Amino acid sequence: MIFKRKKIGVISLGCDKNRVDTEKMLAILGAENITSDISQAEIIIVNSCAFLESARKEALETVFDCNEYRRNGKLEKLVLTGCLPQKFIDEIYDELVEVDVFLGIADYELLPDAIELAYSGQRVNFVGKKDWVEKTERVVTTPLHYAYLKIADGCNNFCTYCLIPKIRGRYRSEKIETLVSEAESLGNISELILVAQDVTRYGVDLYGKPQIVPLIKELSKLENIQSIRLLYCYPDMITDELIEEIATNDKVVKYVDMPLQHADDTILKRMNRKGTASEYLDLIKKLRSKIPNIAIRSTFIAGFPGETDEHFANLLDFLKDARLTNAGFFAYSREEGTPSYNYDGQVDEDIKEERVKKLYAVQKHISRIYLQSFVGKTLEVLADGIDYDKQAFCGRAYLSAPEIDGVVYFNSNGEVCQGQRYLVKIEKADAYDLYGGVEDEFAE
Ligand code: SF4
């Protein structure tokens, strides 16, 4: 096959779920062909995100930038995969003349055939040829001690602002045995991070009821997996059984990422989100009472259509009451094709931005106080690497997921190895990060 003789560069855009897809593509193509120097790649694959207008813009800019390597580099064939072609192939096929091959979210097992056809002179559109990826082999692109495990794809929640169900289709879980064997094949992993659009719904489609707890139990039996972290839990689906499992399973990190999106009941209804602000507060209380010291992170959208000053004030009050460990805030993005695109009461961009800033200011204060509470205490920290700017090692305690939360910067008199755990005495905190020194290497 021609692609086996070519250098291939891959650019993965968007979320960690997309990253897992990219890792499966790399395994299909063979790691030995992959180059990290895009200028030297003869084939470039852009795995795109299209969830928001800003993501689509980024994908298009990446395609145009890569196309420059036809003149300035070695590029022969440009491949566009993922969410952008999946949803918008009719709009982009004629426009994006730079692209030689289009593949959707589940078509990438056809990459070798598609590339072969492109080298025979054809322009290839394989979008929608397949609806599920059977391959589970991956070339992991995260630092070797942690990896994501995508346990399902698609979503049935139909939040009124979100394009994902239209791009990725209805919720579809991977079988427990397939996920266990995929996790086993990853090698020694200090932290396995479970991801899906909604992790808590795992298994409903296959087994008739949520199976996230049985899945966690099975993954916990694997000797190569030291710990398991859950991202993207839908509040309504955080059952007592799941709380009990997080509380009692030593391998499960005492951390929950639970996107709430808003905390005013009127806005939540307009968003088609289940639950109310008071139910969310009750859930947070329950999580804290059953799992002492649990870290709870969330995300919120400001400026949803119809959000008045009063609705926004309710969100601010909620934040002050909930006292979350960490939170991310986003200005509402008006996406054509979603129900809320046509809602009245669209909020001005500058008001949205101002509200996002206010939310960050409140959360910053809360996070600073929360992180200060660790000063003088010792935390178990998973070493991620070295931060040369800070002249310190960096790692994460249980309260931080990679890339979205703060880190622990620390010094050590002894050797520090990536992927090992250390006991770090915390000496200082700011609103985002902790600082300290190694007390002792954690006995693993
Ligand atoms: S839960 Fe809502 S926001 Fe998240 S992917 Fe599903 S529809 Fe989109």
Side-chain angles (χ1 to χ4, degrees):
M1 282 225 154
I2 292 175
F3 80 92
K4 288 201 179 284
R5 303 195 300 271
K6 302 288 178 185
K7 284 204 174 122
I8 303 175
V10 182
I11 298 175
S12 189
L13 302 172
C15 63
D16 36 45
K17 277 98 57 186
N18 222 31
R19 183 197 274 256
V20 173
D21 291 346
T22 302
E23 292 176 350
K24 290 184 180 172
M25 283 182 212
L26 294 178
I28 289 166
L29 295 169
E32 61 286 354
N33 297 354
I34 309 297
T35 173
S36 55
D37 181 354
I38 281 289
S39 71
Q40 295 304 304
E42 294 154 297
I43 300 168
I44 298 180
I45 299 170
V46 177
N47 192 17
S48 63
C49 172
F51 170 49
L52 299 174
E53 196 190 337
S54 53
R56 296 192 288 277
K57 201 163 160 244
E58 185 189 17
L60 293 177
E61 280 167 3
T62 307
V63 165
F64 300 140
D65 288 349
C66 288
N67 196 49
E68 288 297 304
Y69 290 118
R70 285 191 206 270
R71 283 191 297 113
N72 304 333
K74 305 214 164 134
L75 179 65
E76 295 167 0
K77 299 293 171 198
L78 184 50
V79 181
L80 182 62
T81 64
C83 293
L84 185 65
Q86 179 72 33
K87 174 77 178 83
F88 296 100
I89 187 64
D90 293 343
E91 288 89 333
I92 63 176
Y93 185 80
D94 289 333
E95 294 293 317
L96 278 186
V97 290
E98 297 81 358
V99 176
D100 301 289
V101 175
F102 294 92
L103 297 166
I105 54 170
D107 306 306
Y108 49 83
E109 279 170 294
L110 303 172
L111 259 172
D113 293 344
I115 291 171
E116 200 72 13
L117 275 178
Y119 272 100
S120 76
Q122 294 187 42
R123 196 158 180 250
V124 184
N125 172 7
F126 277 177
V127 174
K129 279 215 174 263
K130 295 198 69 159
D131 69 348
W132 192 244
V133 178
E134 305 295 337
K135 291 240 178 234
T136 57
E137 294 84 10
R138 291 163 52 182
V139 174
V140 175
T141 58
T142 42
L144 286 177
H145 59 290
Y146 71 84
Y148 295 98
L149 186 70
K150 187 167 87 168
I151 64 175
D153 209 344
C155 190
N156 293 355
N157 289 329
F158 297 103
C159 303
T160 56
Y161 51 84
C162 182
L163 265 183
I164 284 182
K166 287 200 170 168
I167 299 175
R168 295 210 160 241
R170 293 187 73 80
Y171 194 87
R172 198 163 161 188
S173 308
E174 188 56 89
K175 289 191 207 96
I176 291 183
E177 56 271 27
T178 308
L179 290 169
V180 170
S181 98
E182 183 176 333
E184 199 165 18
S185 72
L186 293 171
N188 282 331
I189 296 289
S190 304
E191 189 170 290
L192 185 72
I193 304 168
L194 305 194
V195 293
Q197 309 301 341
D198 173 0
V199 158
T200 42
R201 185 174 295 275
Y202 172 75
V204 171
D205 54 315
L206 285 183
Y207 307 104
K209 55 182 182 178
Q211 292 292 291
I212 184 66
V213 171
L215 173 65
I216 293 171
K217 284 187 193 297
E218 287 306 310
L219 292 170
S220 303
K221 290 180 191 161
L222 296 177
E223 283 184 9
N224 63 312
I225 304 297
Q226 282 176 19
S227 65
I228 298 168
R229 186 184 289 273
L230 305 181
L231 295 187
Y232 314 118
C233 298
Y234 199 97
D236 174 58
M237 300 284 284
I238 299 181
T239 58
D240 289 349
E241 187 196 13
L242 178 57
I243 295 173
E244 178 72 13
E245 184 65 19
I246 299 171
T248 56
N249 185 331
D250 288 343
K251 282 203 177 178
V252 179
V253 182
K254 309 308 172 209
Y255 172 102
V256 167
D257 167 61
M258 178 172 69
L260 295 174
Q261 312 299 10
H262 213 283
D264 175 90
D265 294 350
T266 306
I267 298 294
L268 285 169
K269 259 209 183 86
R270 279 170 72 86
M271 287 177 155
N272 194 31
R273 300 284 302 178
K274 296 182 193 84
T276 63
S278 78
E279 284 166 359
Y280 294 167
L281 280 177
D282 287 346
L283 175 61
I284 289 167
K285 259 190 222 145
K286 191 196 271 184
L287 281 163
R288 287 188 175 135
S289 74
K290 303 275 182 197
I291 313 167
N293 301 323
I294 186 169
I296 306 173
R297 140 179 260 282
S298 191
T299 45
F300 297 90
I301 295 171
F304 187 78
E307 186 191 73
T308 61
D309 288 347
E310 196 188 332
H311 298 139
F312 179 67
N314 287 339
L315 173 53
L316 279 177
D317 286 346
F318 175 88
L319 263 192
K320 291 173 195 163
D321 289 344
R323 308 195 76 75
L324 299 166
T325 310
N326 197 5
F329 306 99
F330 301 91
Y332 165 74
S333 176
R334 190 180 181 191
E335 297 300 325
E336 212 170 337
T338 62
S340 67
Y341 182 85
N342 295 317
Y343 282 5
D344 50 13
Q346 298 286 333
V347 178
D348 287 349
E349 288 304 319
D350 49 350
I351 295 178
K352 288 188 216 169
E353 294 303 331
E354 197 184 300
R355 288 179 179 172
V356 166
K357 271 192 203 149
K358 280 190 184 153
L359 290 165
Y360 267 115
V362 167
Q363 184 59 42
K364 191 173 168 186
H365 182 66
I366 294 166
S367 294
R368 185 189 295 277
I369 293 171
Y370 173 77
L371 292 178
Q372 287 287 344
S373 71
F374 289 101
V375 174
K377 294 187 180 149
T378 297
L379 282 174
E380 185 188 308
V381 173
L382 176 63
D384 281 329
I386 298 174
D387 187 304
Y388 290 98
D389 291 338
K390 300 247 185 214
Q391 295 274 305
F393 298 106
C394 60
R396 291 172 295 109
Y398 76 96
L399 50 128
S400 300
E403 291 166 35
I404 49 175
D405 294 313
V407 299
V408 182
Y409 295 106
F410 61 98
N411 297 310
S412 170
N413 291 328
E415 199 181 63
V416 169
C417 301
Q418 191 183 51
Q420 297 275 334
R421 291 170 202 270
Y422 298 87
L423 293 177
V424 174
K425 175 104 183 255
I426 303 301
E427 291 150 8
K428 204 177 89 175
D430 57 28
Y432 307 103
D433 303 311
L434 295 167
Y435 303 79
V438 169
E439 275 194 345
D440 203 0
E441 187 172 346
F442 191 66
E444 296 190 70

